[in-house]
Amino acid sequence: ALLTSPSSQAALWLSLKTSTIATILCVLFGVPIALLLARTTFPGQNVLRSLVLLPLVLPPVVAGIALLYTFGRRGLLGGRLEVLGIQIAFSTTAVIMAQTFVAMPFLVVSLEGALRTFGQRYEAIAATLGARPSTVLRRVTIPMMLPALASGAILSFARALGEFGATITFAGSLEGKTRTLPLEIYLQRETDPDAAIALSLLLILVAVLVIGLARRSS
């Protein structure tokens, strides 16, 4: 009964939806970044790597403040977007952006480490046999990194699902719109401790399942 209340179900489904979208965005942006870091050398590479890894050491609240002062109504870009009728802060989009920001390093680190471990010998052999770069990427590189990609995506999903600090700072806590499961647990802790415990156990169960999937795919 504690898990089937409207507010709990709304928070659960919102968390699952936003975490899934955030994971997809991590894959879309993280794969090219990992390939760029592992397979090329260019000026500013260390700066890019530092920016990617920043959420791992940055307190989530600070990350939320950075996003707020960039995409908020009075932010660096938010004011210009507001003129165009685009409002990001305190919306579901803000939840997805916060989750993507904190979850991205888990995917990039997994992929870059796997690519550096594999080396470039198989890709070099394919190139000497006449394969074009696009063919090498499609037929050699991507299949080779699929286990690491699956593991990184699962870990990114788990991190996005448990995100709290950046979300509450950048997106707020609006039921059905930005109130994810961690935020619901925090609020229920004050009004209904039993519900908070039940939701916490649910989140722990999901985390254990995700970790198990990550171990199997690695």
Side-chain angles (χ1 to χ4, degrees), residues 169-191:
T169 306
F170 183 41
S173 179
L174 304 174
E175 185 174 348
K177 188 176 182 181
T178 66
R179 186 179 300 171
T180 57
L181 192 57
L183 272 64
E184 179 69 16
I185 293 172
Y186 178 77
L187 294 174
Q188 291 288 359
R189 181 180 62 89
E190 299 292 339
T191 59

Side-chain angles (χ1 to χ4, degrees), residues 151-164:
S151 178
I154 292 171
L155 291 175
S156 296
F157 177 83
R159 181 64 186 89
L161 188 66
E163 169 50 33
F164 174 81

Side-chain angles (χ1 to χ4, degrees), residues 14-15 17-23 25 29 63-64 67-68 71-72 78 81-82 85-102 160 163 166-174 176-180:
L14 179 65
S15 289
K17 180 179 72 173
T18 56
S19 298
T20 301
I21 297 174
T23 303
L25 292 176
F29 292 103
L67 289 170
L68 184 62
F71 297 100
L81 294 174
E82 189 79 15
I86 302 173
Q87 182 179 343
I88 296 178
F90 304 104
S91 66
T92 305
T93 302
V95 176
I96 296 171
M97 289 179 64
Q99 292 175 340
T100 304
F101 182 76
V102 300
E163 169 50 33
T167 302
I168 197 171
T169 306
F170 183 41
S173 179
L174 304 174
K177 188 176 182 181
T178 66
R179 186 179 300 171
T180 57

Side-chain angles (χ1 to χ4, degrees), residues 55-196:
L56 290 177
V57 297
L58 200 66
V61 174
V62 177
I65 292 175
L67 289 170
L68 184 62
Y69 276 86
T70 303
F71 297 100
R73 290 183 176 181
R74 299 181 181 179
L76 184 63
L77 300 177
R80 296 180 175 87
L81 294 174
E82 189 79 15
V83 175
L84 300 175
I86 302 173
Q87 182 179 343
I88 296 178
F90 304 104
S91 66
T92 305
T93 302
V95 176
I96 296 171
M97 289 179 64
Q99 292 175 340
T100 304
F101 182 76
V102 300
M104 181 77 75
F106 291 86
L107 185 109
V108 175
V109 169
S110 298
L111 285 183
E112 185 185 1
L115 288 169
R116 290 188 179 277
T117 300
F118 293 139
Q120 296 181 265
R121 56 186 182 275
Y122 298 114
E123 295 156 317
I125 292 172
T128 58
L129 293 175
R132 294 185 297 179
S134 59
T135 303
V136 173
L137 178 65
R138 189 177 69 255
R139 301 291 297 274
V140 179
T141 308
I142 292 180
M144 187 170 56
M145 68 180 188
L146 278 180
L149 177 60
S151 178
I154 292 171
L155 291 175
S156 296
F157 177 83
R159 181 64 186 89
L161 188 66
E163 169 50 33
F164 174 81
T167 302
I168 197 171
T169 306
F170 183 41
S173 179
L174 304 174
E175 185 174 348
K177 188 176 182 181
T178 66
R179 186 179 300 171
T180 57
L181 192 57
L183 272 64
E184 179 69 16
I185 293 172
Y186 178 77
L187 294 174
Q188 291 288 359
R189 181 180 62 89
E190 299 292 339
T191 59
D192 192 349
D194 290 337

